[in-house]
Amino acid sequence: MTTYADYQRDRVGWFFGLSGGQLMFLALASLPAFWGISRGAWFSAFLFALVWLFLLAITVIPVRGRSATGWVFASTMYAVGGLLGWTSFRAKATQGRAEDLDTPDLPGVLQGVQIHDGPPHGSQLQRVAIIENHAMKTWAVTASIVHPGIGMKDVEERARYGEALAGLLDVAGRTEKVDEILFMVRTVPEDGAERDLWVNRHRRPNAPELSEVVNSDLAHGLTQASVRTETFVTIVVPETRIARSAKESGGGFEGRCRELYLLMAEIEAQLRGPMGMTTVRWLTSPELALACRTGFAPGDRAGIVEALSLREKDPSVNADVPWAMAGPSGADATVRHYSHDAWNSVSATIKLPARGVAMGALAPILTPSEFGERRSFVVAYPIVCQSKADRQSGNAEWAADLAEGMNEKLGRKTRAKQRDEAHKARGLDAKLARGNSLTRPYGVCTVTVPKTMRITEFGRRLDASVRRAGFAPLRLDLAQDVGFAASTIPLGTSLTRSGDA
């Protein structure tokens, strides 16, 4: 079994694990203590030393993934947002103020999203949904994909899929336009809507009563034990990387669509070829709206499927979900979970283990533990531009050499973990020279259950599933709404992008 462990920390501290900013802050904070010693004011020096130790603790020691200063800042911003009403959302449609049904009305980080219908594309002249995020200044497109899976594949086949994924990231990096690729998987409890429609169409009036009872019981039992998987891939392109080439393609929205279509063709070729995707369908605006609505309210899918079936018989039936109603009617972001409509969600990110992971290790995270529970997961691959990657590689290699040199001079033994990180930092430059791309992958998983169930219990079950898969869970407290949007709604939301890329 192939184990993937060739990853390292984003930044390697060059002085006892401290970064340059942390070292400078602590050095400046120690000056008052040394000033007291030089003046002979021993009591003042002692007090300043205690203050310095407190600053050292809140700067260096992480608490659940953040420093104490980070927690103070996040808590303050959350309190201010709660006082100003930013953490609560009420849809305009619920207040009778929805004017344009084609304008998205989404909560939180999705408020800056606008959906455009692209020019006709492909042999079927399909109008692909173009996602423009005004807040982040990005463009994105989403495709629904189907993969046969790797459950029955041997080691060689899984290794080929791993190489294909690396090739996909390298192709995206060589375009110098794609900033991030996101793979999203949603395991939704089976509602049996398609089967019920099929049974109603093919039921015979003279069927034996016993046969109908047996089929009904089987359908009830199998529906509760079954899940349905939805998989999406989203490519994100910043405005700063596409503006110049879009101008050469005609400028304006049309020029950007032409550039996005070229990128879609390159990514689709990699998905269908080396990665073995059997289906890659770029979503139109109605299809994307349906994916968003079922992301916020999984229980609405059965009614939508029934409406689509009725529209086949009666074209006057409106089965589309308008963008003004694609979001929740109401949403509230609390500290430990996210509340939307009649559902609650808990999101957590995962920490990669030092020993590495095997392909397919995420499967336990996507397995629901009870009927009515939905699991979703996003694996994001932010691609670092080549110039920035070379600079970071050089800094990491220099920091590793400096740290080892200082340890030798101080007589401090270099630990095995530090040696592994230094070895990976030195090998990164060789990989970049061979044409590989640098990426900072991360994953976010979310569990969604009805409000009639205890969300805290299912949050603990999600953490247990993450640990069973070999990872360490890290609950996204104070950022549950962002984690939910990134892992469940396929609109290109990222945890690494805070502004213009």
Side-chain angles (χ1 to χ4, degrees), residues 149-170:
I150 62 174
M152 304 299 294
K153 303 296 182 181
D154 54 16
V155 177
E156 291 77 9
E157 189 71 17
R158 295 191 180 197
R160 282 196 294 269
Y161 281 143
E163 294 175 358
L165 176 59
L168 172 66
L169 299 178
D170 291 340

Side-chain angles (χ1 to χ4, degrees), residues 17 85 107 124 142 160 178 213 215 261 270 281 294 297 368 385 400 402-403 437:
Q124 299 180 353
T142 298
R160 282 196 294 269
V178 178
V213 172
N215 278 278
Y261 284 173
Q270 289 295 121
R281 189 182 77 256
T294 54
C385 63
L402 183 61
S437 298

Side-chain angles (χ1 to χ4, degrees), residues 106-232:
L106 303 174
V109 294
L110 302 176
Q111 289 185 353
V113 171
Q114 182 179 359
I115 309 299
H116 306 275
D117 287 326
H121 170 69
S123 59
Q124 299 180 353
L125 299 179
Q126 188 181 32
R127 300 177 68 89
V128 178
I130 307 298
I131 307 168
E132 181 183 5
N133 194 322
H134 294 280
M136 300 295 121
K137 297 183 180 179
T138 59
W139 301 83
V141 286
T142 298
S144 175
I145 57 178
V146 177
H147 192 274
I150 62 174
M152 304 299 294
K153 303 296 182 181
D154 54 16
V155 177
E156 291 77 9
E157 189 71 17
R158 295 191 180 197
R160 282 196 294 269
Y161 281 143
E163 294 175 358
L165 176 59
L168 172 66
L169 299 178
D170 291 340
V171 168
R174 285 193 291 269
T175 63
E176 297 183 352
K177 294 183 178 68
V178 178
D179 178 65
E180 191 170 16
I181 297 180
L182 302 99
F183 290 93
M184 181 182 297
V185 183
R186 302 193 309 205
T187 53
V188 186
E190 180 59 54
D191 50 25
E194 287 88 350
R195 187 186 185 281
D196 291 341
L197 292 173
W198 188 90
V199 170
N200 292 333
R201 291 175 182 174
H202 297 82
R203 175 173 285 139
R204 296 181 179 180
N206 57 348
E209 183 179 355
L210 179 60
S211 176
E212 289 193 358
V213 172
V214 170
N215 278 278
S216 178
D217 293 341
L218 284 174
H220 180 72
L222 293 176
T223 298
Q224 290 188 346
S226 303
V227 294
R228 183 171 37 83
T229 302
E230 302 171 337
T231 310
F232 306 95

Side-chain angles (χ1 to χ4, degrees), residues 208-486:
E209 183 179 355
L210 179 60
S211 176
E212 289 193 358
V213 172
V214 170
N215 278 278
S216 178
D217 293 341
L218 284 174
H220 180 72
L222 293 176
T223 298
Q224 290 188 346
S226 303
V227 294
R228 183 171 37 83
T229 302
E230 302 171 337
T231 310
F232 306 95
V233 59
T234 303
I235 59 175
V236 183
V237 182
E239 170 66 19
T240 53
R241 297 189 185 183
I242 201 177
R244 179 177 298 179
S245 57
K247 186 176 181 181
E248 297 174 357
S249 299
F253 176 71
E254 297 288 338
R256 285 161 176 79
C257 288
R258 294 188 182 97
E259 293 298 321
L260 289 175
Y261 284 173
L262 293 175
L263 296 175
M264 288 162 50
E266 293 188 53
I267 299 299
E268 183 175 349
Q270 289 295 121
L271 294 174
R272 290 184 179 272
M275 295 195 68
M277 301 291 177
T278 57
T279 302
V280 179
R281 189 182 77 256
W282 299 98
L283 299 183
T284 61
S285 181
E287 293 172 341
L288 187 60
L290 174 60
C292 292
R293 180 55 192 165
T294 54
F296 283 105
D300 288 4
R301 180 185 176 276
I304 296 174
V305 170
E306 183 178 359
L308 291 172
S309 176
L310 294 175
R311 188 170 64 178
E312 296 178 359
K313 301 178 181 179
D314 186 3
S316 62
V317 176
N318 183 12
D320 294 334
V321 177
W323 274 106
M325 302 178 184
S329 58
D332 297 284
T334 60
V335 176
R336 298 282 290 174
H337 71 274
Y338 184 55
S339 176
H340 48 97
D341 283 346
W343 307 80
N344 287 327
S345 297
V346 168
S347 300
T349 186
I350 63 173
K351 300 171 65 176
L352 295 173
R355 64 177 181 273
V357 295
M359 182 174 292
L362 298 175
I365 302 177
L366 293 172
T367 305
S369 61
E370 191 171 324
F371 177 73
E373 174 188 3
R374 184 187 66 184
R375 297 284 183 92
S376 59
F377 194 96
V378 64
V379 179
Y381 296 94
I383 301 173
V384 183
C385 63
Q386 190 65 32
S387 59
K388 189 175 181 180
D390 293 335
R391 184 170 63 254
Q392 291 185 358
S393 174
N395 293 339
E397 190 172 1
W398 174 78
D401 295 338
L402 183 61
E404 285 190 353
M406 295 188 68
N407 287 337
E408 292 178 359
K409 289 184 179 181
L410 296 174
R412 185 173 180 264
K413 184 179 179 180
T414 303
R415 306 297 298 271
K417 184 177 180 180
Q418 295 174 337
R419 288 197 300 268
D420 292 341
E421 291 180 351
H423 177 72
K424 293 176 182 179
R426 295 188 180 98
L428 180 60
D429 184 62
K431 295 179 181 179
L432 293 176
R434 290 196 297 265
N436 297 118
S437 298
L438 178 64
T439 180
R440 300 192 186 102
Y442 65 89
V444 180
C445 50
T446 299
V447 57
T448 301
V449 295
K451 288 186 177 180
T452 55
M453 300 180 178
R454 291 178 58 86
I455 187 59
T456 54
E457 176 184 351
F458 285 90
R460 289 192 294 269
R461 293 185 183 182
L462 177 64
D463 294 342
S465 299
V466 173
R467 287 189 289 268
R468 188 167 63 251
F471 303 90
L474 182 60
R475 192 76 63 88
L476 292 175
D477 293 338
L478 299 176
Q480 289 290 328
D481 55 338
V482 182
F484 172 84

Side-chain angles (χ1 to χ4, degrees), residues 62-95:
V63 181
R64 297 185 62 84
R66 301 180 190 174
S67 63
T69 53
W71 278 109
V72 170
F73 177 77
S75 301
T76 302
M77 295 301 296
Y78 178 82
V80 172
L83 292 175
L84 298 178
W86 295 344
T87 57
S88 297
F89 168 81
R90 295 297 176 267
K92 295 180 180 178
T94 62
Q95 305 172 10

